[in-house]
Structure formats: C-alpha cells, structure tokens
Amino acid sequence: SDKPYNPQDLPIPHFRRGTHDALWLLERANHTMINFGKKQNEGTALSWNLFLRLLLHVYGDIHQPLHSCTMFAKPYPHGDAGGNEIPVILNHTAGHEHVGELHLFWDLGGGALEGNWPTLGPSDMEDEAVRLLAMFPELWKSKHADKVGFREVLDESYKICAKFVYSEFDFSTLEKRQPYYPSDAYVAQAQHTSLERMVLGGARLAKILIPLARNAPPPQQIIGTREGLGLFGWSLEIWQALCGVLLLLSLCSSCGFMWVGWRNAYLRKMVQEGDMPRMALVRHHMHDNGIIAGD
C-alpha cells in the first residue's frame, strides 16, 4: 500500500499501486472472517485461522508510517522502497555508531524497540503492554482509537510519513544512498510517535477482533474435520497417514530411478570399452530393454 510521497512533484508515470496490497488483504480477511458460516462456500475454519494471523500482522504493520508511503526524488526516480534505500547512522553517546536503513529505524521504533522479540515470553510482552498503556493513559480509550478503518489508518500513517519521516531531508542536495544522520530531536520524536502508534494499533485491533471473535469457528473445527480441512471430510489422522505413504512412495521411486540410471550407464560403459566376454550378453540385454536398437 505504498502511496507516493513526491515532495519535488516529479513525473512518475511508471508508478503503479499493486492490486493485492495490504488494503486488499485486510478487506479480504475481514470479509471472509465476518461471513464465515453465514454464506455458502464462504471460507473454511482453516482459512479463518489463516486470515486471523494475517490480519493481526498486517493491521499492526500499517500503523508504521513507512508501510504506507515511499519517497520519490531525483536520486530515487523509482522510489526509495519505503525507506529501505536510505542508510541511517545514529551517533550514540557511548561513541559507537549504529547503521541501518530508514525503514528499519522506524520498524525499531526509532531505537525504542531493540529487544529481541522472538526470545521474549508472554509475561515480558504483558509487562511491555502495561508500560506502554501507562505512557499513554488516555490515548487507548480516546475517540482517536475508534478510527479502525483500514483505509483510514493507512491515510493517517501516510500523513505522518509526509509530514515528519522525511522532515530533515534536503531534497535539493540529496544523493542516491546518501547516509542520513537524524538529530536527537528527530530520534526522540520518532520513538514517541512509534510507541503512540503501537498503543493506538493495539486498541484498534481489539475493537476489530471483538465482532470477529463472535464468529470464530469452534477449536475442534480447525483441525481434523470437514470444515477445518475442507477436503473430502477425511480426518487429520487419515491425511497424515496418506501423506506418509505418498512420501514413502516418492522416496522409493527416486531410488528406483537412480538405480535404473546407474545400471544403464554401466551397461553402456561395458559396450563402449568392448568387454568381449560380456558383449553379446550386454547387447542382448540392452536390446530387450529398449536401450539400443538393432537386430
């Protein structure tokens, strides 16, 4: 859903927004999940589960400003890929430099989210959520959090991108892959904006999930039933056994083909080397098996 940010008003006739973007995915996911079980052939329990995971990820993503826009300038006639082509160098007080791209800088909340999230447990995430809610005690229950529309959120993120993300750039002197050294004020504002967007995103996501949860399929439908698998009504155990048999057959077939190939190569080698005691037998065998032609 990258909308062009074009501060120099350059002609960009080649720019085409993709049809299968974040907005399309979110609308499709919401439609399938809200109508599951209400219309004939409107999704399966498995598709409901998949769309739930995608919605959780992508809806959070569109609150990040650089997931909504890409910058066009003379050094970037085809765009900067949402900030992925802008190197960023941060000078820390400790004296070392952190190098990344502008998109990554915003993915990390301007440096506020440097924890290794895959290694954090549920209690760590809950503590972080409580901390963020304490930082913005009124925001998550304000009318601003009621603006849950997908396009509305994307437009909101785009405005932040256009107004602030590139605010320190001098486009008259900008060069391709020129490093950007954000000021301390920029870093502080980026961190504040990112954490604020996280709180808003979480509050909005809860409002979206409540009506969807009312239409969630029972857990037993997700796995091992006709509704869950949507294939012939076979149970999960049958599909597991079938897949195991198919895998075994494919391995046996591969071994068989390898053995036939090796045997034929060996027979050809015997003929080429003129092994006379075995020549007649080999030629007779190759002829019978269609490897060579002749009487």
Side-chain angles (χ1 to χ4, degrees):
S1 299
D2 286 344
K3 184 178 178 181
Y5 170 57
N6 189 5
Q8 296 178 308
D9 293 322
L10 300 175
I12 50 174
H14 51 275
F15 176 78
R16 295 289 185 276
R17 180 178 294 179
T19 55
H20 295 88
D21 56 7
L23 181 61
W24 172 87
L25 174 61
L26 289 169
E27 290 177 342
R28 182 70 183 127
N30 186 71
H31 175 83
T32 298
M33 295 171 72
I34 206 71
N35 288 296
F36 171 74
K38 298 178 181 178
K39 296 182 180 180
Q40 187 176 7
N41 299 323
E42 190 61 55
T44 64
L46 189 62
S47 66
W48 197 97
N49 184 275
L50 173 62
F51 275 131
L52 173 63
R53 297 165 187 267
L54 293 173
L55 186 143
L56 290 171
H57 182 110
V58 178
Y59 190 73
D61 265 2
I62 63 175
H63 284 77
Q64 203 266 64
L66 281 171
H67 285 146
S68 68
C69 77
T70 189
M71 181 270 290
F72 289 81
K74 290 181 179 178
Y76 297 96
H78 298 282
D80 70 342
N84 278 298
E85 296 186 12
I86 305 289
V88 172
I89 299 179
L90 299 178
N91 293 313
H92 291 286
T93 55
H96 65 276
E97 295 181 336
H98 173 78
V99 181
E101 280 70 43
L102 188 62
H103 190 102
L104 177 61
F105 171 81
W106 277 91
D107 275 346
L108 295 174
L113 304 172
E114 294 186 342
N116 190 5
W117 287 99
T119 65
L120 300 181
S123 61
D124 298 310
M125 295 187 183
E126 185 175 347
D127 291 343
E128 180 68 7
V130 170
R131 182 182 75 86
L132 291 177
L133 290 176
M135 289 179 62
F136 304 94
E138 301 299 325
L139 179 62
W140 63 276
K141 49 187 176 181
S142 67
K143 291 184 178 180
H144 199 41
D146 292 333
K147 299 178 180 179
V148 300
F150 305 140
R151 189 181 296 276
E152 192 174 20
V153 174
L154 280 165
D155 289 343
E156 183 183 74
S157 292
Y158 176 81
K159 290 177 182 178
I160 296 173
C161 180
K163 182 179 180 180
F164 177 68
V165 171
Y166 297 95
S167 60
E168 292 188 339
F169 282 61
D170 184 352
F171 292 100
S172 64
T173 60
L174 183 65
E175 298 179 1
K176 184 82 170 181
R177 300 292 299 177
Q178 175 183 331
Y180 167 50
Y181 295 81
S183 66
D184 291 342
Y186 181 96
V187 173
Q189 183 60 42
Q191 292 181 356
H192 181 273
T193 299
S194 297
L195 297 180
E196 184 180 55
R197 300 293 288 165
M198 288 182 65
V199 172
L200 271 178
R204 290 167 171 171
L205 187 60
K207 297 177 187 295
I208 289 176
L209 291 177
I210 289 172
L212 294 178
R214 297 192 186 105
N215 200 40
Q220 63 270 22
Q221 286 190 11
I222 301 297
I223 298 177
T225 68
R226 183 184 185 89
E227 292 80 10
L229 293 172
L231 293 173
F232 314 119
W234 293 351
S235 69
L236 180 62
E237 290 75 16
I238 293 176
W239 278 109
Q240 288 176 331
L242 180 61
C243 290
V245 172
L246 291 175
L247 178 60
L248 181 61
L249 287 175
S250 65
L251 290 174
C252 291
S253 298
S254 298
C255 293
F257 285 125
M258 290 174 62
W259 182 82
V260 170
W262 174 85
R263 183 199 62 180
N264 291 345
Y266 173 76
L267 293 176
R268 284 195 178 93
K269 184 174 182 294
M270 294 294 296
V271 172
Q272 292 170 358
E273 293 179 353
D275 191 339
M276 298 307 295
R278 301 182 186 177
M279 182 67 71
L281 178 61
V282 168
R283 290 187 63 85
H284 177 72
H285 177 87
M286 294 180 72
H287 176 267
D288 289 347
N289 286 275
I291 301 173
I292 60 174
D295 297 331

Tab-separated table of all heavy atoms in Angstrom, residues 210-242:
chain	number	residue	atom	x	y	z
A	210	ILE	N	-13.186	-8.119	18.381
A	210	ILE	CA	-14.369	-8.487	19.188
A	210	ILE	C	-15.503	-9.018	18.312
A	210	ILE	O	-16.017	-10.120	18.554
A	210	ILE	CB	-14.819	-7.299	20.056
A	210	ILE	CG1	-13.806	-7.079	21.179
A	210	ILE	CG2	-16.208	-7.549	20.637
A	210	ILE	CD1	-14.041	-5.822	21.992
A	211	PRO	N	-15.942	-8.296	17.257
A	211	PRO	CA	-17.017	-8.868	16.422
A	211	PRO	C	-16.570	-10.095	15.640
A	211	PRO	O	-17.375	-10.999	15.390
A	211	PRO	CB	-17.391	-7.716	15.483
A	211	PRO	CG	-16.206	-6.815	15.470
A	211	PRO	CD	-15.597	-6.928	16.831
A	212	LEU	N	-15.290	-10.156	15.262
A	212	LEU	CA	-14.799	-11.337	14.550
A	212	LEU	C	-14.786	-12.557	15.465
A	212	LEU	O	-15.076	-13.669	15.028
A	212	LEU	CB	-13.390	-11.071	14.003
A	212	LEU	CG	-13.270	-10.008	12.909
A	212	LEU	CD1	-11.815	-9.822	12.511
A	212	LEU	CD2	-14.109	-10.375	11.692
A	213	ALA	N	-14.439	-12.346	16.729
A	213	ALA	CA	-14.368	-13.464	17.683
A	213	ALA	C	-15.734	-14.102	17.882
A	213	ALA	O	-15.829	-15.311	18.127
A	213	ALA	CB	-13.806	-12.978	19.012
A	214	ARG	N	-16.779	-13.306	17.768
A	214	ARG	CA	-18.128	-13.867	17.925
A	214	ARG	C	-18.447	-14.852	16.809
A	214	ARG	O	-19.331	-15.700	16.961
A	214	ARG	CB	-19.158	-12.740	17.924
A	214	ARG	CG	-19.031	-11.759	19.084
A	214	ARG	CD	-20.245	-10.854	19.174
A	214	ARG	NE	-20.065	-9.823	20.192
A	214	ARG	CZ	-19.801	-8.550	19.919
A	214	ARG	NH1	-19.697	-8.166	18.654
A	214	ARG	NH2	-19.657	-7.673	20.883
A	215	ASN	N	-17.741	-14.738	15.704
A	215	ASN	CA	-17.997	-15.609	14.557
A	215	ASN	C	-16.896	-16.652	14.377
A	215	ASN	O	-16.804	-17.283	13.331
A	215	ASN	CB	-18.114	-14.755	13.279
A	215	ASN	CG	-18.833	-15.489	12.164
A	215	ASN	OD1	-19.812	-16.184	12.418
A	215	ASN	ND2	-18.345	-15.351	10.947
A	216	ALA	N	-16.060	-16.810	15.385
A	216	ALA	CA	-14.949	-17.758	15.275
A	216	ALA	C	-15.459	-19.189	15.270
A	216	ALA	O	-16.391	-19.532	16.001
A	216	ALA	CB	-13.983	-17.562	16.435
A	217	PRO	N	-14.868	-20.053	14.452
A	217	PRO	CA	-15.264	-21.472	14.455
A	217	PRO	C	-14.809	-22.139	15.737
A	217	PRO	O	-13.822	-21.733	16.344
A	217	PRO	CB	-14.516	-22.038	13.242
A	217	PRO	CG	-13.345	-21.129	13.054
A	217	PRO	CD	-13.805	-19.766	13.467
A	218	PRO	N	-15.537	-23.166	16.198
A	218	PRO	CA	-15.093	-23.901	17.380
A	218	PRO	C	-13.696	-24.466	17.163
A	218	PRO	O	-13.325	-24.823	16.037
A	218	PRO	CB	-16.133	-25.029	17.509
A	218	PRO	CG	-17.336	-24.522	16.763
A	218	PRO	CD	-16.796	-23.686	15.642
A	219	PRO	N	-12.883	-24.542	18.214
A	219	PRO	CA	-11.498	-25.029	18.063
A	219	PRO	C	-11.404	-26.385	17.383
A	219	PRO	O	-10.483	-26.637	16.613
A	219	PRO	CB	-10.992	-25.083	19.507
A	219	PRO	CG	-11.838	-24.095	20.240
A	219	PRO	CD	-13.185	-24.141	19.590
A	220	GLN	N	-12.358	-27.290	17.651
A	220	GLN	CA	-12.272	-28.626	17.061
A	220	GLN	C	-12.472	-28.614	15.555
A	220	GLN	O	-12.155	-29.591	14.874
A	220	GLN	CB	-13.287	-29.578	17.709
A	220	GLN	CG	-14.746	-29.199	17.512
A	220	GLN	CD	-15.255	-28.292	18.625
A	220	GLN	OE1	-14.444	-27.638	19.284
A	220	GLN	NE2	-16.558	-28.274	18.819
A	221	GLN	N	-13.000	-27.504	15.006
A	221	GLN	CA	-13.195	-27.435	13.555
A	221	GLN	C	-11.918	-27.072	12.828
A	221	GLN	O	-11.794	-27.283	11.631
A	221	GLN	CB	-14.288	-26.412	13.209
A	221	GLN	CG	-15.691	-26.869	13.519
A	221	GLN	CD	-16.720	-25.918	12.938
A	221	GLN	OE1	-16.390	-25.043	12.141
A	221	GLN	NE2	-17.965	-26.107	13.318
A	222	ILE	N	-10.974	-26.474	13.537
A	222	ILE	CA	-9.762	-26.001	12.874
A	222	ILE	C	-8.948	-27.167	12.332
A	222	ILE	O	-8.352	-27.105	11.272
A	222	ILE	CB	-8.905	-25.175	13.852
A	222	ILE	CG1	-9.704	-23.972	14.368
A	222	ILE	CG2	-7.629	-24.706	13.184
A	222	ILE	CD1	-10.094	-22.988	13.298
A	223	ILE	N	-8.925	-28.280	13.076
A	223	ILE	CA	-8.094	-29.424	12.687
A	223	ILE	C	-8.937	-30.684	12.704
A	223	ILE	O	-9.690	-30.942	13.639
A	223	ILE	CB	-6.901	-29.598	13.644
A	223	ILE	CG1	-5.988	-28.370	13.586
A	223	ILE	CG2	-6.114	-30.851	13.293
A	223	ILE	CD1	-4.835	-28.435	14.558
A	224	GLY	N	-8.795	-31.477	11.649
A	224	GLY	CA	-9.312	-32.828	11.668
A	224	GLY	C	-10.774	-32.978	11.342
A	224	GLY	O	-11.354	-34.011	11.661
A	225	THR	N	-11.438	-32.002	10.727
A	225	THR	CA	-12.827	-32.150	10.348
A	225	THR	C	-13.035	-31.657	8.936
A	225	THR	O	-12.166	-31.024	8.342
A	225	THR	CB	-13.750	-31.345	11.283
A	225	THR	OG1	-13.504	-29.953	11.060
A	225	THR	CG2	-13.494	-31.674	12.738
A	226	ARG	N	-14.216	-31.921	8.404
A	226	ARG	CA	-14.547	-31.467	7.053
A	226	ARG	C	-14.466	-29.950	6.952
A	226	ARG	O	-13.943	-29.404	6.000
A	226	ARG	CB	-15.951	-31.947	6.676
A	226	ARG	CG	-16.362	-31.579	5.265
A	226	ARG	CD	-17.802	-31.984	4.980
A	226	ARG	NE	-18.134	-31.735	3.597
A	226	ARG	CZ	-17.963	-32.577	2.607
A	226	ARG	NH1	-17.432	-33.755	2.860
A	226	ARG	NH2	-18.302	-32.277	1.367
A	227	GLU	N	-14.974	-29.251	8.009
A	227	GLU	CA	-14.943	-27.800	7.966
A	227	GLU	C	-13.520	-27.277	8.053
A	227	GLU	O	-13.162	-26.282	7.447
A	227	GLU	CB	-15.782	-27.216	9.112
A	227	GLU	CG	-17.273	-27.461	8.984
A	227	GLU	CD	-17.670	-28.867	9.426
A	227	GLU	OE1	-16.818	-29.571	9.997
A	227	GLU	OE2	-18.820	-29.251	9.181
A	228	GLY	N	-12.708	-27.948	8.864
A	228	GLY	CA	-11.352	-27.461	9.051
A	228	GLY	C	-10.485	-27.678	7.839
A	228	GLY	O	-9.803	-26.787	7.376
A	229	LEU	N	-10.513	-28.897	7.303
A	229	LEU	CA	-9.660	-29.205	6.174
A	229	LEU	C	-10.328	-28.885	4.849
A	229	LEU	O	-9.660	-28.547	3.880
A	229	LEU	CB	-9.255	-30.687	6.203
A	229	LEU	CG	-8.349	-31.091	7.370
A	229	LEU	CD1	-8.177	-32.593	7.388
A	229	LEU	CD2	-7.013	-30.403	7.267
A	230	GLY	N	-11.623	-29.000	4.795
A	230	GLY	CA	-12.339	-28.698	3.566
A	230	GLY	C	-12.033	-29.667	2.442
A	230	GLY	O	-12.201	-29.340	1.278
A	231	LEU	N	-11.563	-30.885	2.779
A	231	LEU	CA	-11.165	-31.840	1.754
A	231	LEU	C	-11.770	-33.207	2.052
A	231	LEU	O	-11.271	-33.949	2.898
A	231	LEU	CB	-9.642	-31.950	1.668
A	231	LEU	CG	-8.912	-30.698	1.171
A	231	LEU	CD1	-7.416	-30.890	1.311
A	231	LEU	CD2	-9.272	-30.398	-0.274
A	232	PHE	N	-12.870	-33.534	1.397
A	232	PHE	CA	-13.466	-34.860	1.402
A	232	PHE	C	-13.949	-35.326	2.773
A	232	PHE	O	-14.367	-36.470	2.928
A	232	PHE	CB	-12.489	-35.903	0.844
A	232	PHE	CG	-11.817	-35.470	-0.421
A	232	PHE	CD1	-10.442	-35.347	-0.489
A	232	PHE	CD2	-12.570	-35.147	-1.555
A	232	PHE	CE1	-9.821	-34.936	-1.664
A	232	PHE	CE2	-11.944	-34.733	-2.713
A	232	PHE	CZ	-10.586	-34.626	-2.774
A	233	GLY	N	-13.863	-34.484	3.783
A	233	GLY	CA	-14.317	-34.881	5.110
A	233	GLY	C	-13.417	-35.876	5.800
A	233	GLY	O	-13.831	-36.499	6.780
A	234	TRP	N	-12.200	-36.056	5.314
A	234	TRP	CA	-11.283	-37.008	5.943
A	234	TRP	C	-10.692	-36.411	7.210
A	234	TRP	O	-10.416	-35.218	7.281
A	234	TRP	CB	-10.164	-37.401	4.978
A	234	TRP	CG	-10.657	-38.188	3.802
A	234	TRP	CD1	-11.905	-38.699	3.620
A	234	TRP	CD2	-9.906	-38.536	2.644
A	234	TRP	NE1	-11.988	-39.358	2.429
A	234	TRP	CE2	-10.764	-39.277	1.789
A	234	TRP	CE3	-8.601	-38.309	2.228
A	234	TRP	CZ2	-10.359	-39.771	0.560
A	234	TRP	CZ3	-8.181	-38.803	1.015
A	234	TRP	CH2	-9.063	-39.533	0.191
A	235	SER	N	-10.407	-37.251	8.178
A	235	SER	CA	-9.845	-36.782	9.443
A	235	SER	C	-8.360	-36.465	9.269
A	235	SER	O	-7.718	-36.855	8.291
A	235	SER	CB	-10.003	-37.856	10.523
A	235	SER	OG	-9.159	-38.967	10.232
A	236	LEU	N	-7.835	-35.758	10.254
A	236	LEU	CA	-6.417	-35.402	10.222
A	236	LEU	C	-5.539	-36.646	10.209
A	236	LEU	O	-4.503	-36.689	9.539
A	236	LEU	CB	-6.084	-34.536	11.437
A	236	LEU	CG	-4.624	-34.062	11.560
A	236	LEU	CD1	-4.250	-33.182	10.388
A	236	LEU	CD2	-4.412	-33.319	12.868
A	237	GLU	N	-5.951	-37.689	10.974
A	237	GLU	CA	-5.147	-38.911	11.030
A	237	GLU	C	-5.044	-39.576	9.657
A	237	GLU	O	-3.986	-40.093	9.265
A	237	GLU	CB	-5.750	-39.893	12.038
A	237	GLU	CG	-5.608	-39.468	13.498
A	237	GLU	CD	-6.564	-38.345	13.869
A	237	GLU	OE1	-7.535	-38.112	13.106
A	237	GLU	OE2	-6.345	-37.698	14.914
A	238	ILE	N	-6.164	-39.570	8.902
A	238	ILE	CA	-6.145	-40.158	7.560
A	238	ILE	C	-5.210	-39.377	6.653
A	238	ILE	O	-4.416	-39.959	5.896
A	238	ILE	CB	-7.568	-40.203	6.977
A	238	ILE	CG1	-8.433	-41.184	7.768
A	238	ILE	CG2	-7.537	-40.581	5.500
A	238	ILE	CD1	-9.879	-41.229	7.314
A	239	TRP	N	-5.289	-38.035	6.731
A	239	TRP	CA	-4.409	-37.227	5.885
A	239	TRP	C	-2.942	-37.416	6.255
A	239	TRP	O	-2.068	-37.445	5.382
A	239	TRP	CB	-4.802	-35.751	6.002
A	239	TRP	CG	-5.962	-35.387	5.122
A	239	TRP	CD1	-7.233	-35.081	5.498
A	239	TRP	CD2	-5.941	-35.314	3.692
A	239	TRP	NE1	-8.014	-34.823	4.405
A	239	TRP	CE2	-7.253	-34.961	3.277
A	239	TRP	CE3	-4.965	-35.521	2.724
A	239	TRP	CZ2	-7.592	-34.805	1.947
A	239	TRP	CZ3	-5.305	-35.359	1.387
A	239	TRP	CH2	-6.600	-35.005	1.009
A	240	GLN	N	-2.654	-37.548	7.542
A	240	GLN	CA	-1.273	-37.777	7.958
A	240	GLN	C	-0.758	-39.105	7.421
A	240	GLN	O	0.381	-39.200	6.926
A	240	GLN	CB	-1.178	-37.748	9.481
A	240	GLN	CG	-1.332	-36.363	10.080
A	240	GLN	CD	-1.334	-36.376	11.594
A	240	GLN	OE1	-1.747	-37.354	12.220
A	240	GLN	NE2	-0.889	-35.286	12.200
A	241	ALA	N	-1.583	-40.150	7.520
A	241	ALA	CA	-1.176	-41.459	7.009
A	241	ALA	C	-0.983	-41.417	5.500
A	241	ALA	O	-0.011	-41.970	4.961
A	241	ALA	CB	-2.228	-42.505	7.381
A	242	LEU	N	-1.920	-40.755	4.798
A	242	LEU	CA	-1.814	-40.649	3.346
A	242	LEU	C	-0.556	-39.903	2.929
A	242	LEU	O	0.164	-40.330	2.010
A	242	LEU	CB	-3.053	-39.941	2.792
A	242	LEU	CG	-3.095	-39.743	1.267
A	242	LEU	CD1	-3.066	-41.093	0.559
A	242	LEU	CD2	-4.339	-38.965	0.871
